[in-house]
Amino acid sequence: MHPMIRIGSRGSALARRQTEIVSKQLGEIGIRTEIIIIKTEGDADTSVPLHEVGGQGIFVRALDDAILSGEIDCAVHSMKDIPAARPDGIATAAILPRDPPTDYLAFEKTLDDVLIIGTSSTRRRAQLRRYDPDLEIRELRGNIDTRIRKLKSGDYDAIMLAEAGLVRMSLHLNGIRLPAHQFVPAPNQGTIAVVCRDDPALCEVISPLDHEKTRMDTMIERAVMEEVGGGCFTPQGIYCLEGHLIAEVLSLDGERYERMEEQVKSVDEARGIGRELKIRSSDLILEAKSILGLK
């Protein structure tokens, strides 16, 4: 009998659901688990734009610290929340099969009547403005329930969500899936990752959950993301499906962008593409940082 594995999770309903998925799969291979809720800075104040409080990485930092301190053994994340720079002592033990990577535009009225859209993502803002410069994009943070409630109360005509979150929560909203070639997803969107102490024995216990094809596609995406840099503040979409890679960096207003579309066979190849995209888009990255007041 394996020892009990303590799994850390954020407190949101979606985070708990993702952790329950992992816990159930571990249980099916005979691994006992205990779920421990860890509060994160990113969940404390949803009224402030993400770029002002440290970006997506703030959702991961507290869980990393809990792993390194020994409070928990592993943590479950939406993989797109995991920043490029990772602390020593943390390993990605398993990447689950990918759910839909696409964005979803949810609305209560007809699509023709959608003028005000809520999202906190600089990528989604830029891609929406590229699609239609006349759209009004308003800041919207909070968990899925909060965002849906604000849509239904009429604060927004539509809201933009990751389709994977709706699937995991079994939520059915009126709306449309946005095509990935036009609204290129964030790197690793739609993927659940399990991170743990960099302990070979612990990694081996969790590794049966790993999905080889998803790991390859997401590692290609991460390689491009790491080379491009720009943090989660720069609007960038990076998506790979069975080696077909689309990567783009946009200006904040969506009017300008650099885009590459290639067939990629290895992570090293992806790094080369990332380096080239960084050179091509360096002015867009610097401009975004300047406009957002970042160093």
Side-chain angles (χ1 to χ4, degrees):
M1 176 72 72
H2 291 289
M4 177 80 72
I5 291 181
R6 299 163 299 167
I7 309 177
S9 172
R10 291 168 56 196
S12 72
L14 177 58
R16 292 197 307 271
R17 175 61 187 140
Q18 292 172 168
T19 305
E20 289 164 0
I21 290 169
V22 170
S23 177
K24 180 181 178 182
Q25 291 188 16
L26 287 172
E28 289 170 353
I29 58 173
I31 309 300
R32 295 178 302 143
T33 60
E34 176 188 5
I35 296 174
I36 297 173
I37 303 302
I38 305 293
K39 292 183 179 180
T40 76
E41 184 182 351
D43 295 312
D45 185 358
T46 60
S47 65
V48 180
L50 274 178
H51 70 265
E52 293 184 12
V53 292
Q56 291 292 105
I58 58 173
F59 297 125
V60 176
R61 197 175 305 132
L63 290 154
D64 284 343
D65 290 344
I67 290 172
L68 293 173
S69 71
E71 182 180 353
I72 57 176
D73 300 305
C74 64
V76 176
H77 297 294
S78 292
M79 197 173 179
K80 70 182 178 68
D81 290 343
I82 301 176
R86 304 295 290 128
D88 292 335
I90 300 285
T92 303
I95 299 171
L96 276 58
R98 197 170 210 164
D99 291 317
T102 40
D103 287 319
Y104 191 84
L105 189 70
F107 45 85
E108 296 276 280
K109 47 185 71 176
T110 65
L111 184 58
D112 289 341
D113 291 327
V114 170
L115 296 174
I116 302 170
I117 300 177
T119 178
S120 63
S121 162
T122 58
R123 172 188 62 84
R124 289 171 176 158
R125 283 173 175 264
Q127 290 172 342
L128 284 166
R129 284 173 172 152
R130 175 174 62 186
Y131 173 76
D132 184 351
D134 292 330
L135 290 171
E136 181 181 344
I137 316 299
R138 293 183 184 173
E139 184 71 21
L140 173 62
R141 284 190 57 206
N143 58 40
I144 287 181
D145 289 343
T146 298
R147 286 181 277 173
I148 292 173
R149 185 172 66 251
K150 290 183 177 180
L151 170 66
K152 291 184 180 296
S153 68
D155 293 3
Y156 307 87
D157 298 328
I159 60 174
M160 206 163 168
L161 303 158
E163 186 175 358
L166 300 177
V167 169
R168 291 169 194 154
M169 297 294 290
S170 299
L171 292 171
H172 304 281
L173 300 178
N174 182 65
I176 56 171
R177 169 186 288 175
L178 298 174
H181 70 274
Q182 188 173 18
F183 293 85
V184 185
N188 300 170
Q189 184 163 303
T191 312
I192 293 173
V194 186
V195 302
C196 67
R197 290 192 314 276
D198 193 2
D199 174 341
L202 181 57
C203 290
E204 184 177 354
V205 170
I206 299 169
S207 66
L209 274 57
D210 196 57
H211 188 256
E212 185 178 354
K213 288 184 178 179
T214 301
R215 179 176 282 271
M216 176 55 74
D217 282 340
T218 53
M219 288 299 103
I220 284 171
E221 293 168 8
R222 290 192 77 79
V224 176
M225 176 181 73
E226 289 166 5
E227 295 297 334
V228 170
C232 63
F233 318 115
T234 302
Q236 56 182 302
I238 305 171
Y239 174 51
C240 184
L241 176 61
E242 297 181 351
H244 183 75
L245 172 69
I246 306 173
E248 66 177 14
V249 177
L250 302 91
S251 61
L252 289 171
D253 59 12
E255 291 183 0
R256 291 159 292 129
Y257 60 93
E258 292 289 342
R259 179 180 172 116
M260 297 181 68
E261 193 164 347
E262 304 281 348
Q263 198 66 30
V264 181
K265 296 180 180 178
S266 70
V267 170
D268 284 344
E269 262 189 67
R271 291 199 178 280
I273 291 168
R275 287 190 290 270
E276 183 175 346
L277 183 58
K278 180 178 182 177
I279 292 169
R280 292 187 186 184
S281 60
S282 58
D283 59 331
L284 299 177
I285 295 170
L286 291 172
E287 178 184 272
K289 287 183 176 179
S290 175
I291 291 172
L292 295 173
L294 304 168
K295 294 182 179 179

